[in-house]
Amino acid sequence: MDAPFDATLLSGGKFAVGQPVSRKEDPVLLRGEGRYADDLNRPGQLYAVMVRSRMAHGELRTIDADAARSMEGVRAVITAADLDAAGIGNMSAGAAKHRDGSPTPRPAQRPLATGHVRYVGEPVAMVVAETAKQAKDAAETVFLDIDPLPAVTTASEAAAPGAPLLHSDAPGNLALDYHYGDTEKVAAAFAKAAHVTTLSIRNSRIVVCPMEPRSAIGEYEADSDRLVLRLGCQGVFGQRALLSGILGLPVEKLRVLTGNVGGSFGMKASAYPEYICLLHAARTLGQPVKWTDERSESFMSDSHGRDHEMTCELALDADGTFLALRVTGYGNLGAWLNSATTIPPTLNTVKNIIGVYATPLIEVATRCMFTNTTPVGAYRGAGRPEGNYYMERLVETAAREMGIDPIALRRRNHIQPDQMPYKAPSGMLYDDGAFPVILEEALRSADWDGYAARQAASRAAGKIRGRGIGQYLEVTADAGNEMGGIRFEADGSVTIVTGTLDYGQGHASPFAQVLADRLGVPFERIRLLQGDSDQLLAGGGTGGSRSMMQSGGAIVEASDLVVERGKQAAAHFLEAAVSDVEFVRGRFNVAGTDLGIGIMELADQLRAAPALPDDVPRTLDVSHVFKGVPSAFPNGCHIAEIELDPETGVVELVRYTTVNDFGVLVNPMLVEGQAHGGIAQGFGQALTEMVAYDEDGQLLTGSYMDYALPRANDFPALGFESHPVPARTNPLGVKGCGEAGCAGSLPSVMNALVDALSEFGITHIDMPATPLRIWQAIEATRSPA
């Protein structure tokens, strides 16, 4: 393995790796002193409001902005023609090749629509004025002359012959015809199977609902001829690269700054049209320009998540051993491509579909389609939760159909510890895992054997109880280089510089724990810098549950470089040979003597020294680029119990247990919090959150009056236990935890619901299983045929 786990990191101490240390940022945030994008204002700034299409599909004939331009305070109305004249390029887009090797279409998405509009909410113009109210009033006067065209909103309908065509260079609305696997071998396995379980599964569309809507300020620095963008995002280094490609500028001519970020879940990773328009306006007008999304606007302007229609099949022999798995269907991309659009229903489904089960063969065939809906991007897990959801629903259904206990079926097909490292049919190499043990611990923790008494109590209260298992495994992102910078500041603090970005995860404390553990630097003196692209040599941003593996590994390697420099410096000040200097718990000592110097004192002495020999470093500071590590495989088992009111369809989550293997837990308290958030989002997709479009492509669920997020009182106490097996592929032994909650909660909650509904002969129900849908399903079983 590339970067073996270093057990010496687990050295103990109040702020050491493994301790539940509180988040450094919380006191600041709780006092209301956070600095989010909309909190920022620049001297002399102007305000921007977007003009968006109110039609899902149509020919954009003219834009009449004369009235807006004449209104008080209005400084500019920017359209596609202005961006074209400035030489601004197309929005970034990417997809793999078709299954036959032919190139996929790349429809040219302009930052502002030209020629046609393709979804409700597509930006068409930007109004810039001296106040936000003036900009909003003027935007309402801009008239868009659009000849309506028929719209299509689901992927399967977009693939049908004669469906409305979105892009002339994407025949049949096909963006990507993806295939993975050996069709002939999979077909042969299905042909010899004693039993085949088939499910049609809808992975429902989600509106990404971060606490903080998007906001940004574009600014032009005339003295340096540079553009500066202040915004909330998932990584300033990557954001700068995206903007550079669209604007046609060298990265040196751009600076991206990010402060606190109030959530993202994948959505804020992209470069959006608004940012391009802001930077163009700032450069053209010579003043900063600020834009802040409103919540209802964000329902249309921010990328959505999920939205796949899949047919999932599992082939088993007569004993219930898995032979092959096949997934075919559609992924809804919305109207345009972005850099992550096609990955969830294709590559990430492949990587995550077998979960913890020994499955010799897999085949995934997905047709990714353009539709007249808001573009789809990454959403917490981005294919990882859905892959596990498909498999766990198949396992439960196969067990019921074959008359096999679902626990026994799982035990029969688990990948065993002695099979590690395990080469999955996806090509992934699982380095470790204790999947059978985790299932048994979860059953014990959930009091599986005491269920009958709880079920009887529910029935006595007029409710139907159900229970469900979601045993999951996720493949984390295998991102590339990451910066690990360490700076000893003049004020006595130490700054970690790295290119991941905290948008609610709480990076400051666990990163500081790693550094304090490694160098003995006082925890309270450690600061974190992530949000300034000028300070970074590399940075993959935060996503794919990668941050602790990548930034943590970078901090470990950078710390080793600090120690090397420190030994050279300490040898000079202590008048010893470098080979005689040892480093132990924050102190450089001369072996066999009582001579020594602390690392913080050494940094001060280097700073104060008027002159030093050439072979002595002037500082302990390092700027290091970590080469990255392979994917890790966090896994676990969730067990949910629900109560169903059969007369209303209302479902209550009444009991929830988890046992997880996240490898070494740098900060157990924060890991548990991440699991809670993922569980809540999986619950929301499963039972409450629903995106609905009408036949004309109008969004029917455009606010929280219609779109139901889960609430705190929807949840019981969420049990959290750990069975950590250190990863062998990174020096910290961590596995990532940010997305795993969704991967366990989607299948456990839906399996519990189907268990309850099985009393009515119902064997499957799609997400979101709202009370109305559940009630309708129950009533259908009661109605005469």
Side-chain angles (χ1 to χ4, degrees):
M1 299 297 178
D2 291 356
F5 167 54
D6 184 355
T8 64
L9 288 164
L10 304 180
S11 59
K14 179 180 178 181
F15 299 111
V17 167
Q19 296 300 310
V21 180
S22 297
R23 301 193 336 165
K24 278 175 167 280
E25 64 271 29
D26 282 351
V28 172
L29 299 180
L30 290 170
R31 290 195 301 265
E33 296 171 359
R35 298 288 284 170
Y36 296 87
D38 189 50
D39 293 324
L40 305 177
N41 293 290
R42 302 295 295 163
Q45 76 183 18
L46 304 172
Y47 295 84
V49 169
M50 304 304 298
V51 178
R52 302 184 183 276
S53 173
R54 296 180 181 181
M55 290 188 181
H57 198 195
E59 182 180 352
L60 179 59
R61 300 181 65 85
T62 60
I63 303 171
D64 184 353
D66 289 345
R69 290 189 175 99
S70 67
M71 293 178 67
E72 180 182 0
V74 173
R75 298 290 300 277
V77 179
I78 297 168
T79 66
D82 300 302
L83 303 184
D84 292 345
I88 291 173
N90 297 325
M91 301 302 295
S92 58
K97 292 184 177 181
H98 288 310
R99 65 162 71 194
D100 62 5
S102 62
T104 52
R106 298 287 198 281
Q109 181 189 5
R110 306 295 294 140
L112 295 174
T114 178
H116 289 80
V117 293
R118 293 177 173 87
Y119 67 97
V120 173
E122 183 166 16
V124 178
M126 172 184 273
V127 176
V128 181
E130 294 171 1
T131 70
K133 184 178 186 305
Q134 288 171 338
K136 181 177 288 190
D137 288 345
E140 292 178 355
T141 71
V142 176
F143 177 73
L144 306 181
D145 184 6
I146 301 174
D147 284 346
L149 294 170
V152 60
T153 61
T154 68
S156 55
E157 291 172 348
L165 185 66
L166 271 77
H167 304 286
S168 60
D169 52 350
N173 294 316
L174 182 64
L176 172 63
D177 185 11
Y178 177 87
H179 181 265
Y180 179 91
D182 189 318
T183 300
E184 291 185 2
K185 288 183 179 179
V186 170
F190 272 85
K192 73 176 185 181
H195 183 82
V196 173
T197 290
T198 302
L199 282 175
S200 293
I201 298 178
R202 179 66 185 266
N203 180 30
S204 51
R205 180 177 283 239
I206 289 293
V207 170
V208 183
C209 296
M211 189 176 295
E212 175 204 24
R214 287 190 297 122
S215 181
I217 302 175
E219 188 170 0
Y220 176 62
E221 295 179 341
D223 55 347
S224 61
D225 188 31
R226 289 213 309 172
L227 291 169
V228 179
L229 186 67
R230 293 171 169 84
L231 79 165
C233 69
Q234 292 188 199
V236 295
F237 196 83
Q239 184 72 221
R240 184 180 66 171
L242 292 171
L243 295 170
S244 170
I246 299 166
L247 293 167
L249 294 175
V251 292
E252 295 80 13
K253 291 295 183 181
L254 288 161
R255 186 183 187 187
V256 178
L257 296 167
T258 293
N260 296 117
V261 183
S264 175
F265 313 117
M267 180 271 289
K268 293 178 184 173
S270 299
Y272 280 85
E274 295 89 352
Y275 309 153
I276 305 302
C277 297
L278 286 172
L279 292 171
H280 171 75
R283 181 167 53 185
T284 301
L285 299 172
Q287 292 176 252
V289 184
K290 180 177 182 177
W291 167 81
T292 299
D293 220 349
E294 295 185 350
R295 184 62 71 179
S296 288
E297 186 179 9
S298 74
F299 272 61
M300 302 177 292
S301 65
D302 298 348
S303 63
H304 289 178
R306 316 291 198 223
D307 202 349
H308 312 138
E309 303 167 66
M310 296 298 190
T311 299
C312 305
E313 303 169 275
L314 180 64
L316 307 92
D317 69 12
D319 293 327
T321 301
F322 299 168
L323 303 176
L325 177 67
R326 184 162 57 200
V327 178
T328 57
Y330 300 98
N332 190 338
L333 306 185
W336 297 103
L337 285 168
N338 71 33
S339 55
T341 301
T342 62
I343 295 175
T346 57
L347 180 62
N348 276 358
T349 298
V350 168
K351 288 182 176 182
N352 293 272
I353 188 69
I354 72 162
V356 299
Y357 305 110
T359 310
L361 296 165
I362 63 171
E363 182 178 11
V364 175
T366 309
R367 292 170 64 82
C368 296
M369 311 300 298
F370 291 115
T371 66
N372 295 114
T373 61
T374 296
V376 172
Y379 177 71
R380 199 166 191 164
R384 300 171 181 87
E386 39 266 62
N388 284 277
Y389 174 59
Y390 301 152
M391 177 56 111
E392 285 295 299
R393 285 294 300 121
L394 285 169
V395 170
E396 285 290 323
T397 304
R400 184 174 288 111
E401 291 174 348
M402 297 183 72
I404 300 175
D405 179 80
I407 303 299
L409 188 60
R410 287 180 170 86
R411 289 168 174 158
R412 191 167 303 164
N413 289 284
H414 273 147
I415 300 166
Q416 299 298 316
D418 61 8
Q419 293 178 272
M420 300 296 178
Y422 178 79
K423 186 65 175 290
S426 63
M428 294 289 100
L429 185 66
Y430 295 8
D431 62 315
D432 59 30
F435 313 141
V437 174
I438 284 176
L439 174 62
E440 301 308 320
E441 290 187 2
L443 294 174
R444 171 197 51 76
S445 182
D447 186 25
W448 188 264
D449 293 338
Y451 175 73
R454 297 190 295 275
Q455 186 181 40
S458 296
R459 190 171 298 279
K463 306 290 181 64
I464 300 173
R465 201 177 189 100
R467 60 180 175 178
I469 293 174
Q471 190 164 11
Y472 70 90
L473 176 142
E474 286 201 334
V475 180
T476 66
D478 54 349
N481 295 348
E482 188 55 76
M483 182 173 175
I486 299 174
R487 295 200 309 235
F488 290 79
E489 311 287 4
D491 65 358
S493 65
V494 180
T495 301
I496 298 170
V497 185
T498 190
T500 54
L501 201 142
D502 181 350
Y503 48 88
Q505 290 86 352
H507 288 172
S509 285
F511 288 2
Q513 287 175 258
V514 174
L515 186 64
D517 225 27
R518 200 67 174 178
L519 292 182
V521 173
F523 176 86
E524 63 277 3
R525 295 195 193 180
I526 300 172
R527 306 291 180 263
L528 176 62
L529 191 158
Q530 299 174 301
D532 184 350
S533 62
D534 277 2
Q535 303 291 319
L536 299 177
L537 301 177
T542 291
S545 299
R546 67 181 292 280
S547 294
M548 187 51 74
M549 292 184 296
Q550 301 299 117
S551 285
I555 293 166
V556 168
E557 287 192 356
S559 298
D560 292 342
L561 295 176
V562 169
V563 171
E564 291 179 16
R565 297 171 69 85
K567 286 181 177 179
Q568 293 174 318
H572 167 72
F573 288 112
L574 298 174
E575 300 180 347
V578 174
S579 60
D580 290 335
V581 177
E582 302 172 336
F583 182 73
V584 180
R585 295 186 181 278
R587 187 173 177 83
F588 295 93
N589 301 313
V590 178
T593 75
D594 59 358
L595 295 176
I597 185 170
I599 191 170
M600 301 301 290
E601 181 185 353
L602 180 60
D604 289 340
Q605 289 202 18
L606 285 170
R607 188 177 299 108
L612 291 166
D614 291 341
D615 60 347
V616 176
R618 270 56 180 171
T619 174
L620 298 181
D621 297 357
V622 299
S623 292
H624 174 63
V625 176
F626 178 61
K627 298 303 182 182
V629 294
S631 298
F633 305 94
N635 63 90
C637 185
H638 292 203
I639 299 179
E641 292 186 19
I642 62 99
E643 282 187 337
L644 166 65
D645 184 338
E647 300 305 317
T648 64
V650 171
V651 172
E652 182 181 359
L653 184 65
V654 294
R655 194 178 176 96
Y656 202 91
T657 303
T658 74
V659 176
N660 305 279
D661 170 15
F662 294 133
V664 172
L665 304 186
V666 174
N667 188 316
M669 180 174 65
L670 299 193
V671 170
E672 184 173 357
Q674 285 292 299
H676 288 175
I679 290 167
Q681 286 182 283
F683 172 92
Q685 182 180 1
L687 297 180
T688 69
E689 299 181 51
M690 180 172 66
V691 175
Y693 286 94
D694 70 12
E695 61 183 11
D696 296 320
Q698 293 293 328
L699 182 64
L700 300 178
T701 49
S703 76
Y704 291 134
M705 294 292 291
D706 310 295
Y707 189 86
L709 286 179
R711 301 180 179 218
N713 61 3
D714 289 325
F715 298 94
L718 301 175
F720 180 87
E721 296 183 16
S722 290
H723 183 96
V725 180
R728 303 176 185 178
T729 54
N730 65 80
L732 285 170
V734 296
K735 294 185 176 179
C737 65
E739 299 163 318
C742 279
S745 62
L746 280 182
S748 63
V749 170
M750 291 304 290
N751 280 336
L753 175 58
V754 173
D755 182 48
L757 290 173
S758 65
E759 182 168 316
F760 301 96
I762 297 169
T763 59
H764 182 71
I765 187 169
D766 270 325
M767 304 182 295
T770 62
L772 175 61
R773 289 183 171 183
I774 294 170
W775 180 84
Q776 288 174 331
I778 293 173
E779 287 301 301
T781 67
R782 294 168 172 168
S783 302

